[in-house]
Amino acid sequence: MTHTYRGSGRAGLYQDEEFMDILEERRRTSDLGHALRSFKPLPYLGAPPCSVAELNQAVLDSHFLRHVAREVAMETGSSVEEVREEACGILEEMSQNLQLGFIRLMGYALTKVLKRLFTSVFVNMEGLSTLQQAMQQTRVILMPNHRSYVDFLVISYIMFTYDLPVPVIAAGIPLAGMKLIGEILRRSGAFFIRRAIGSDKLYWAVLSEYVKTIVRKEFAPMEFYVEGLRSRTLKSVTPKLGMMHMVLEPYFKGEVFDITLVPVSISYDRVLEESLLAHELLGVPKPKESTTGLLKASKLLQDNYGSMHVNFGQPVSVRQLCEGKINRCQYNLIPRDLPQKPTPEAQACVSWLAHLIVRIQEEGSVISPWSLMACLLLQAPVAVLTEDGLPWQQLTERTLWLKRLALDFGGHLKWPGQVSDSDVMSSSAAIHHSVVHQKAGRVYLVQEEEPERRRAVSAEQSVMRTGTSVLMLASYRNQSLHVFVRPALLTTALDVTNSTHKDELFAFFSFLQDLFSSEFIFIPGKLSEDFEEACSLLKKCGAVHIDQQEVTLSHMGRETLSFLKALIQPFIDSYQMMFRYFCEQGAQVITEKQFLPAVRTLATKLLLSGELHTYEALSSDTQKNVLSALQRLEAVTKMRLE
Amino acid sequence: MKWNGWGYSDTRFLFNKKGQAEFTGKRYRLSGLIIPGLKDWMEGTFGASVQHKSQATPILNSSSVQPPNLNEAFVEELKSTGVPYSHDAEDRVFRAHDCHDDVVKIVELACKHNVCLIPYGGGTSVSSALECPPEETRSIVSLDTSQMNRILWIDEKNLTAHVEAGIVGQDLERLLNESGYCTGHEPDSMEFSSLGGWVATRASGMKKNIYGNIEDLVVHMKMVTPRGVIEKSCQGPRMSTGPDIHHFILGSEGTLGVVTEVTMKIRPMPEYQKYGSVVFPNFEQGVACLREIAKQRCAPASVRLMDNEQFKFGHALKPQVSSIFTSFVDGLKKFYITKFKGFDPNRLCVATLLFEGNRDRVLQHEKQVYDIAAKFGGLAAGEDNGQRGYMLTFVIAYLRDLGMDYYVIGESFETSVPWDRVLDMCRNVKARIVHECKERGVQFPPLSTCRVTQTYDAGACVYFYFAFNYRGLSDPVHVYEQVEHAAREEILASGGSLSHHHGVGKLRKAWMRETISNVGMGMLQSVKDYVDPANIFGNRNLL
């Protein structure tokens, strides 16, 4: 068991939780025995069980789907029967087929894989027991963050191990396409959703009715990623609202008494896909999900990935959260099973809830020593990291300093207590041998080797190679970014405005939040709270003095402020580089296809010429975020070209 | 009659020396019987204990009541009219006149002396409609209509009767029965509620499927207002003369005037009556069956569906059986339903039925209904259970008084809701009650139960009962009000109405604007402003 430290408590999370390593027992007893154990989950809500076939039939028989089918038939000119046939096909492609036998198979396979990959899988037991109670009282929606493919079945695995109802899980359709694996996932409870549904009315209808029927009928707990996809940067992603709305609508319409959301934070010491993700961000296409791909990737299994933390947050009641935010009477005058555009009120409520869940997920994430080290490594010039190396002593001292700051800011830190601090950091660095290596008291950035090519690498290729390592490092920094982001924005405001007036600082803080709102996730409408939080955290760590209308710098705070400023600097530099691109390129219209490569070329050029210092500007994620920020600020508009 | 409880003074529930529940008096089928299951049910449901008693205030004396605020000039002039009146302590909580003309005189005097009038019929209101508004500073006169209780004439050609509005339901029915007629209007409060009260609140009777609700029954009426008397000039069965002025009166809750005389439809007494009951495996199936019955428009005179909790409650109220044979038969029935048919005793629910009319047609109708019920898994459960179900309606109010003696408070409330939302609303409201009680520190799970009591083409009327053990609470009445408020919010959010037939009174005023819109409020207000500009009928209900 390990303890995690945490500065402040907040709704949706437990304090001082005790984590237990669920692999410990697996290492002592037979895996097969575990898979074949008698699995008697407590009945979900004590509801009479409903079969998969009954569930699907209820979806097809729903008035809503009938209505939409008639509408689609009218619009397309095909017969209602044809449309219903099509709906049947969509449902077949989508539907999960949860079966106990496959849960066991999954259990067996996952035990093997998890044991191979991780030294431990930690779960907070208190969260698990609260979840157990919640599952007998209300509908439970499990809402994990998504950082790795490993996330996918781990919650089901934990449910299986602790005799809890196994959830049905929303998954992307590419997974269904994997030979054999797709079917195993389906039978382990996965249901598959197409990407880019666009305006396919029938598809939307089948999907939303399917989701709503699962919620209404209390078929099983549901699990979905509110971020919609795997974060390529290990940073939270702006939540997607479609699925969230489908899940919440039965409550809005009074079809269910309450829905319980359980945010789950999954954190990794080291992410399996780290280098794949970095390559993807640099424009190397993601390999298609395939079974053979998976088998090839099995060489990854040889490595050590440290430990994994699954932190179940406090269940939150939608009913309680939505009080005063949604007037359920608005659904009284139209039959509830007719399609209805969500009102602005409902949309705002869904968005707020989705962002809130992301925030709770962030706060529940366990921060590793390595993430703090990554923050500091990134603040050293790249040349130092690649050539001269950073003195180990300096890194460890600064990391211990940052540890205190992170705790002050309420970070959820996992710092093993039984070993010396320097051993903790050494072993963290050792796990991440793919990113850094230690030699003669210095730390160096690992450059990716390409053994096939004997020729000297070109300057551009070398930028990409360094970029890969920097982006990997940046991902690990991102794991703790949420702890620092608010005070860091305020620090930037202090630095840029050079003002001490709260009003001015607030205005600039607000501008930064707006600009970076795809980069860092903030709950809409909580601007003043965020600002106040930033102020009080900086005050708490002694970096500033605050009275009524003034924020003044403190002498002791220089180190903190310069750290925080440097933390945000790569983002500011990347954004400015992009703005420069837009200003300098002549054309009024740029196609999306040209855009990313063109920006990357400019960034590479500027990096080589020494005008740009951050390799993070190469990340397609940052580039896309800038684009959406500019769209939001109405500096650019997006058009569809025929 | 009790002043501090429901109904007749001789009738009450009590726990006898042996600790068994007993129902006193001779008036009801249950009267004089021992009810062995009640004690266990109360203890099991509420965690109440016979050891812990909290007695009601026994007598009312003048010292416990504030002195009256009299308008001397009004009292003097009232004396000269010969209208009886009283301001004794107990009477003020109760009674005072005789006929339409008396009412006209009183209303004129009240206008002249600016006295507030509150019409009082049977006093069975559950919406705080009869409470004197605390902000009222004028002298308040309770205008008791109980002496206007005669049937003035019966028109056998048109099948109508002209009745004074103070008549109480059971008297009206008894008197009409003597001539071979009935109105068929039987609200659960009919023992004590009055015709004028029915009109003022838009009452509904359990046999409305045959006879209609009060608005369907009224052909003509007279109301005395500060502006004068309002009535129509003829008794045509339907008119197209602009908005129906009757609908200003129906549901006006004593804010516009006093209803004095009503002409209402009457029917020949039914040749044959038959009770019945059906057991369903669960409430969902029961509601589906009622919906189908409504769809086929073949609802019996009355059909009511009780949920599982209410089924258990009804079971607890079974009197001691006299013979071993009956208990043996009961045991067999139970065995058949739970073991043989596989009904879960914690999920099953029961519908009670009442058929009325020509004997052959009743039997035919009965078969039709049972056939529909069978499609929804319903099993016929006998006439006796049905009849007992209806009898319990009258007895249940007495039971509330027993509960109060043992730290249990409870009340009922109702709503109407479209068919597709019946189940969702019932579940949400029941869950909300449990949830709110827990939140507010109620130590034991409350009784939270409902039944569907009326069916319509487009929806149903649902009745909720809720009660809890208030031991350990410092202000149980406040907790009670908060829970009831929350339950009403839940009803509205689940698509239910503010009231099906209890009315708004002062209890539900807060929701009127959102219920009928700003313009709607304005319309009602402008009627009030015209009819009663000085707010003589100042009970402040509704608006």
Side-chain angles (χ1 to χ4, degrees):
Chain A
M1 268 185 220
T2 62
H3 283 272
T4 60
Y5 304 95
R6 200 176 144 65
S8 67
R10 182 184 279 271
L13 289 172
Y14 302 90
Q15 274 188 294
D16 292 333
E17 47 269 61
E18 268 186 5
F19 282 91
M20 207 170 94
D21 180 9
I22 60 166
L23 290 186
E24 204 177 295
E25 204 189 327
R26 292 290 78 70
R27 293 195 199 281
R28 280 189 273 112
T29 59
S30 140
D31 296 342
L32 201 60
H34 173 249
L36 295 178
R37 56 195 273 279
S38 69
F39 175 56
K40 284 203 197 77
L42 289 159
Y44 182 51
L45 291 170
C50 142
S51 74
V52 169
E54 282 166 345
L55 178 77
N56 292 358
Q57 199 55 47
V59 173
L60 290 174
D61 289 345
S62 68
H63 281 265
F64 174 72
L65 204 56
R66 281 168 192 277
H67 181 90
V68 174
R70 272 198 301 273
E71 277 185 353
V72 170
M74 288 272 281
E75 286 161 18
T76 58
S78 39
S79 74
V80 176
E81 284 68 39
E82 281 163 4
V83 177
R84 288 189 56 78
E85 198 94 326
E86 198 188 327
C88 252
I90 294 173
L91 187 61
E92 209 167 290
E93 173 195 276
M94 183 183 301
S95 164
Q96 50 78 29
N97 188 10
L98 195 58
Q99 290 175 359
L100 182 58
F102 283 81
I103 296 291
R104 293 186 185 287
L105 179 64
M106 178 273 295
Y108 182 72
L110 228 54
T111 305
K112 293 283 183 212
V113 172
L114 292 175
K115 282 205 301 199
R116 174 61 65 78
L117 290 176
F118 299 108
T119 45
S120 359
V121 173
F122 289 110
V123 176
N124 66 330
M125 298 316 282
E126 197 188 344
L128 206 57
S129 69
T130 316
L131 176 64
Q132 177 182 6
Q133 286 162 17
M135 277 182 166
Q136 288 164 71
Q137 286 161 5
T138 65
R139 292 159 177 79
V140 167
I141 311 293
L142 293 157
M143 301 179 72
N145 53 0
H146 197 10
R147 299 291 174 261
S148 163
Y149 279 128
V150 181
D151 301 339
F152 194 73
L153 286 175
V154 86
I155 291 182
S156 306
Y157 179 77
I158 296 170
M159 300 294 115
F160 173 68
T161 305
Y162 288 94
D163 276 334
L164 292 171
V166 175
V168 295
I169 313 166
I173 199 93
L175 289 178
M178 295 168 76
K179 279 198 198 81
L180 207 64
I181 302 283
E183 197 50 36
I184 292 176
L185 292 179
R186 195 185 287 278
R187 293 182 189 212
S188 306
F191 65 95
F192 299 100
I193 304 171
R194 289 184 197 162
R195 295 267 176 245
I197 305 167
S199 56
D200 187 340
K201 195 168 163 181
L202 189 66
Y203 193 87
W204 273 117
V206 175
L207 175 60
S208 74
E209 189 60 28
Y210 187 65
V211 169
K212 286 186 268 184
T213 308
I214 291 173
V215 175
R216 274 189 223 120
K217 280 197 162 271
E218 306 171 348
F219 177 81
M222 189 185 323
E223 176 183 334
F224 80 99
Y225 301 111
V226 69
E227 294 168 303
L229 40 79
R230 202 157 42 103
S231 166
R232 266 55 171 169
T233 57
L234 304 191
K235 197 153 45 85
S236 305
V237 179
T238 308
K240 302 282 176 296
L241 305 181
M243 187 75 174
M244 188 76 183
H245 191 265
M246 292 173 202
V247 167
L248 295 177
E249 203 179 68
Y251 169 72
F252 291 168
K253 291 190 168 177
E255 292 166 329
V256 301
F257 180 69
D258 197 0
I259 294 173
T260 298
L261 308 179
V262 180
V264 186
S265 313
I266 303 179
S267 342
Y268 297 89
D269 278 353
R270 181 179 167 202
V271 176
L272 206 59
E273 303 97 318
E274 52 179 16
S275 102
L276 268 182
L277 292 175
H279 279 106
E280 215 182 303
L281 291 174
L282 289 171
V284 181
K286 171 175 104 165
K288 193 175 176 296
E289 285 90 343
S290 70
T291 308
T292 43
L294 187 76
L295 291 175
K296 274 186 201 150
S298 57
K299 76 168 198 298
L300 291 174
L301 297 185
Q302 309 306 324
D303 220 336
N304 176 13
Y305 292 87
S307 52
M308 172 182 184
H309 280 80
V310 183
N311 190 6
F312 289 94
Q314 283 268 23
V316 293
S317 149
V318 170
R319 168 175 282 270
Q320 212 177 351
L321 286 173
C322 290
E323 214 177 291
K325 287 207 151 56
I326 191 102
N327 175 11
R328 285 180 292 152
C329 293
Q330 65 184 296
Y331 299 97
N332 283 351
L333 293 178
I334 298 175
R336 291 176 299 175
D337 36 26
L338 289 190
Q340 206 180 336
K341 239 185 123 115
T343 58
E345 185 195 24
Q347 277 172 323
C349 184
V350 169
S351 164
W352 172 76
L353 255 178
H355 282 81
L356 180 69
I357 295 296
V358 171
R359 178 88 203 261
I360 299 176
Q361 286 172 351
E362 283 183 341
E363 289 179 336
S365 304
V366 173
I367 295 167
S368 64
W370 170 246
S371 175
L372 300 182
M373 292 163 78
C375 289
L376 294 164
L377 283 166
L378 276 172
Q379 298 194 359
V382 173
V384 171
L385 290 180
T386 50
E387 283 150 35
D388 314 335
L390 191 72
W392 174 252
Q393 183 71 18
Q394 190 189 331
L395 177 64
T396 52
E397 276 167 18
R398 294 271 290 152
T399 305
L400 288 175
W401 169 83
L402 186 56
K403 176 188 165 194
R404 282 192 300 277
L405 186 68
L407 285 175
D408 260 355
F409 284 0
H412 201 140
L413 207 58
K414 181 208 148 193
W415 195 284
Q418 294 90 337
V419 264
S420 73
D421 287 341
S422 78
D423 284 352
V424 168
M425 286 179 274
S426 298
S427 66
S428 291
I431 292 176
H432 293 277
H433 58 83
S434 53
V435 187
V436 292
H437 67 97
Q438 218 182 321
K439 204 169 72 186
R442 288 181 169 266
V443 199
Y444 298 87
L445 196 63
V446 172
Q447 301 268 14
E448 205 179 37
E449 308 144 44
E450 288 186 58
E452 299 108 72
R453 284 190 207 147
R454 299 268 159 76
R455 283 183 292 134
V457 284
S458 71
E460 283 78 14
Q461 280 170 324
S462 146
V463 167
M464 283 297 162
R465 278 175 50 188
T466 311
T468 311
S469 304
V470 171
L471 288 185
M472 275 159 73
L473 208 49
S475 302
Y476 291 110
R477 172 208 55 201
N478 289 346
Q479 288 181 319
S480 54
L481 205 53
H482 62 270
V483 177
F484 302 110
V485 67
R486 289 167 185 79
L489 290 187
L490 179 57
T491 306
T492 309
L494 281 162
D495 187 55
V496 175
T497 60
N498 222 346
S499 161
T500 57
H501 286 291
K502 248 189 171 177
D503 294 346
E504 270 177 71
L505 291 171
F506 179 75
F508 198 77
F509 182 87
S510 150
F511 164 73
L512 286 174
Q513 237 198 41
D514 203 17
L515 181 68
F516 287 127
S517 74
S518 313
E519 205 71 52
F520 316 119
I521 309 305
F522 300 104
I523 301 173
K526 290 266 180 239
L527 181 64
S528 331
E529 283 93 334
D530 283 329
F531 181 72
E532 285 307 321
E533 190 183 325
C535 288
S536 77
L537 288 179
L538 281 188
K539 187 181 165 188
K540 188 176 168 197
C541 71
V544 296
H545 303 292
I546 296 177
D547 58 28
Q548 293 299 44
Q549 283 310 314
E550 299 273 305
V551 180
T552 44
L553 305 186
S554 128
H555 294 299
M556 296 146 59
R558 201 171 303 144
E559 192 178 10
T560 308
L561 294 176
S562 70
F563 165 78
L564 291 173
K565 185 173 162 268
L567 192 69
I568 293 293
Q569 202 57 45
F571 295 97
I572 294 187
D573 289 347
S574 307
Y575 273 54
Q576 279 173 339
M577 188 277 297
M578 296 272 290
F579 299 156
R580 182 169 160 185
Y581 167 76
F582 278 107
C583 295
E584 284 177 0
Q585 68 87 33
Q588 281 293 309
V589 179
I590 316 159
T591 64
E592 262 184 290
K593 229 181 195 163
Q594 299 166 342
F595 171 70
L596 289 181
V599 174
R600 200 173 295 127
T601 310
L602 177 66
T604 311
K605 202 180 89 191
L606 293 176
L607 278 167
L608 285 172
S609 71
E611 282 175 80
L612 180 67
H613 299 292
T614 175
Y615 281 74
E616 292 183 52
L618 294 167
S619 159
S620 60
D621 184 70
T622 314
Q623 293 158 3
K624 284 174 192 159
N625 287 342
V626 174
L627 201 55
S628 53
L630 288 175
Q631 263 178 272
R632 206 175 37 251
L633 298 169
E634 294 176 342
V636 301
T637 50
K638 206 168 173 176
M639 291 182 299
R640 191 172 287 273
L641 290 181
E642 297 305 325
Chain B
M1 298 264 268
K2 299 188 192 108
W3 78 269
N4 60 351
W6 176 265
Y8 300 107
S9 300
D10 60 7
T11 303
R12 57 186 292 242
F13 279 97
L14 54 79
F15 286 110
N16 63 23
K17 287 189 190 101
K18 287 187 202 152
Q20 287 173 310
E22 195 179 320
F23 193 49
T24 63
K26 295 194 177 84
R27 295 170 190 272
Y28 300 91
R29 236 185 94 197
L30 206 58
S31 296
L33 294 179
I34 300 281
I35 303 125
L38 186 59
K39 181 170 163 247
D40 285 348
W41 179 81
M42 268 185 70
E43 292 181 343
T45 309
F46 298 111
S49 160
V50 182
Q51 314 307 329
H52 299 285
K53 213 168 166 190
S54 129
Q55 286 290 14
T57 314
I59 33 165
L60 190 67
N61 53 37
S62 47
S63 60
S64 64
V65 179
Q66 283 176 8
N69 168 14
L70 292 180
N71 182 325
E72 296 296 343
F74 172 79
V75 174
E76 280 311 306
E77 250 190 278
L78 193 63
K79 266 183 199 160
S80 66
T81 60
V83 173
Y85 73 95
S86 153
H87 46 78
D88 292 345
E90 194 153 336
D91 286 350
R92 261 192 294 137
V93 190
F94 257 113
R95 186 151 310 208
H97 57 159
D98 219 16
C99 64
H100 172 79
D101 293 339
D102 280 356
V103 176
V104 175
K105 279 184 223 158
I106 295 170
V107 172
E108 275 169 5
L109 280 180
C111 290
K112 184 174 166 196
H113 296 285
N114 193 22
V115 165
C116 172
L117 289 180
I118 298 186
Y120 187 102
T124 57
S125 161
V126 286
S127 59
S128 311
L130 295 169
E131 273 174 27
C132 299
E135 62 269 42
E136 182 61 68
T137 52
R138 297 172 294 180
S139 175
I140 300 175
V141 171
S142 178
L143 205 156
D144 178 5
T145 60
S146 65
Q147 303 309 305
M148 302 202 300
N149 56 7
R150 292 164 297 184
I151 295 177
L152 298 177
W153 46 254
I154 292 175
D155 177 345
E156 297 191 81
K157 287 187 180 147
N158 294 308
L159 287 181
T160 55
H162 191 67
V163 190
E164 288 184 316
I167 196 166
V168 165
Q170 59 173 331
D171 297 338
L172 173 63
E173 226 46 25
R174 195 189 64 244
L175 291 172
L176 284 174
N177 287 173
E178 284 168 12
S179 322
Y181 294 105
C182 67
T183 63
H185 185 69
E186 294 183 14
D188 289 356
S189 60
M190 69 174 291
E191 295 171 285
F192 309 107
S193 58
S194 69
L195 172 55
W198 300 339
V199 169
T201 55
R202 295 180 63 89
S204 169
M206 92 180 190
K207 297 195 290 196
K208 72 94 193 153
N209 291 337
I210 295 183
Y211 301 96
N213 288 320
I214 193 70
E215 67 273 20
D216 309 308
L217 288 165
V218 170
V219 177
H220 181 270
M221 56 188 158
K222 261 193 219 173
M223 177 165 79
V224 182
T225 77
R227 283 271 176 191
V229 176
I230 174 173
E231 64 178 317
K232 290 184 186 174
S233 67
C234 69
Q235 304 197 32
R238 181 180 188 277
M239 293 184 221
S240 174
T241 50
D244 191 339
I245 56 160
H246 280 176
H247 285 284
F248 289 123
I249 302 170
L250 287 155
S252 59
E253 305 196 358
T255 58
L256 300 177
V258 194
V259 180
T260 52
E261 289 171 15
V262 177
T263 307
M264 68 190 296
K265 299 179 198 169
I266 55 171
R267 300 284 306 160
M269 284 171 69
E271 178 190 309
Y272 186 67
Q273 270 197 334
K274 191 170 182 192
Y275 288 96
S277 63
V278 182
V279 180
F280 291 99
N282 54 49
F283 192 62
E284 291 76 7
Q285 293 281 69
V287 170
C289 174
L290 259 59
R291 204 281 160 263
E292 185 60 28
I293 288 172
K295 199 173 186 176
Q296 297 193 20
R297 292 202 169 161
C298 64
S302 169
V303 49
R304 283 177 175 175
L305 178 75
M306 304 177 198
D307 69 0
N308 182 260
E309 290 83 358
Q310 233 169 90
F311 164 77
K312 286 180 181 160
F313 170 56
H315 209 72
L317 282 176
K318 272 202 169 167
Q320 200 162 32
V321 283
S322 39
S323 76
I324 296 173
F325 179 71
T326 340
S327 75
F328 175 71
V329 171
D330 279 352
L332 264 190
K333 274 191 212 153
K334 195 175 164 194
F335 177 81
Y336 176 72
I337 288 177
T338 58
K339 295 290 178 319
F340 190 72
K341 280 288 174 181
F343 284 20
D344 177 352
N346 290 314
R347 286 177 60 79
L348 62 82
C349 74
V350 61
T352 57
L353 308 163
L354 172 61
F355 298 90
E356 229 177 69
N358 167 290
R359 188 166 187 278
D360 290 342
R361 247 181 284 157
V362 162
L363 295 177
Q364 201 186 342
H365 191 179
E366 190 186 23
K367 183 177 179 314
Q368 188 187 5
V369 170
Y370 283 120
D371 284 349
I372 295 174
K375 286 195 193 122
F376 295 89
L379 294 173
E383 273 182 76
D384 190 56
N385 279 323
Q387 191 171 7
R388 250 167 30 83
Y390 287 102
M391 180 268 305
L392 288 182
T393 313
F394 295 110
V395 165
I396 200 159
Y398 290 100
L399 199 65
R400 186 180 60 170
D401 291 345
L402 175 79
M404 278 200 256
D405 289 347
Y406 295 94
Y407 292 92
V408 173
I409 50 174
E411 184 56 278
S412 62
F413 49 89
E414 40 68 72
T415 186
S416 56
V417 63
W419 278 117
D420 71 314
R421 297 177 199 246
V422 171
L423 282 176
D424 289 339
M425 188 206 58
C426 291
R427 188 196 46 238
N428 288 354
V429 173
K430 289 200 285 183
R432 179 76 180 261
I433 290 171
V434 173
H435 179 79
E436 294 286 335
C437 282
K438 200 171 154 195
E439 292 273 290
R440 299 180 198 288
V442 175
Q443 314 267 331
F444 300 91
L447 173 71
S448 171
T449 155
C450 72
R451 62 175 189 226
V452 180
T453 59
Q454 289 291 7
T455 63
Y456 291 87
D457 286 347
C461 168
V462 179
Y463 224 95
F464 291 92
Y465 287 99
F466 119 72
F468 63 86
N469 182 337
Y470 65 83
R471 289 189 63 209
L473 295 182
S474 57
D475 191 351
V477 175
H478 183 61
V479 170
Y480 171 82
E481 285 166 353
Q482 286 178 314
V483 176
E484 190 184 356
H485 187 93
R488 182 59 62 177
E489 296 262 289
E490 195 60 40
I491 288 176
L492 299 176
S494 305
S497 66
L498 191 52
S499 171
H500 169 262
H501 61 270
H502 281 176
V504 175
K506 289 181 266 294
L507 194 61
R508 288 179 271 275
K509 253 166 86 165
W511 291 286
M512 266 302 267
R513 192 168 291 276
E514 63 183 271
T515 302
I516 63 168
S517 83
N518 280 329
V519 179
M521 286 292 274
M523 286 167 88
L524 294 189
Q525 189 62 52
S526 64
V527 171
K528 167 79 180 173
D529 291 346
Y530 172 76
V531 174
D532 183 19
N535 196 27
I536 297 302
F537 289 90
N539 60 19
R540 297 184 197 247
N541 291 336
L542 214 53
L543 292 175

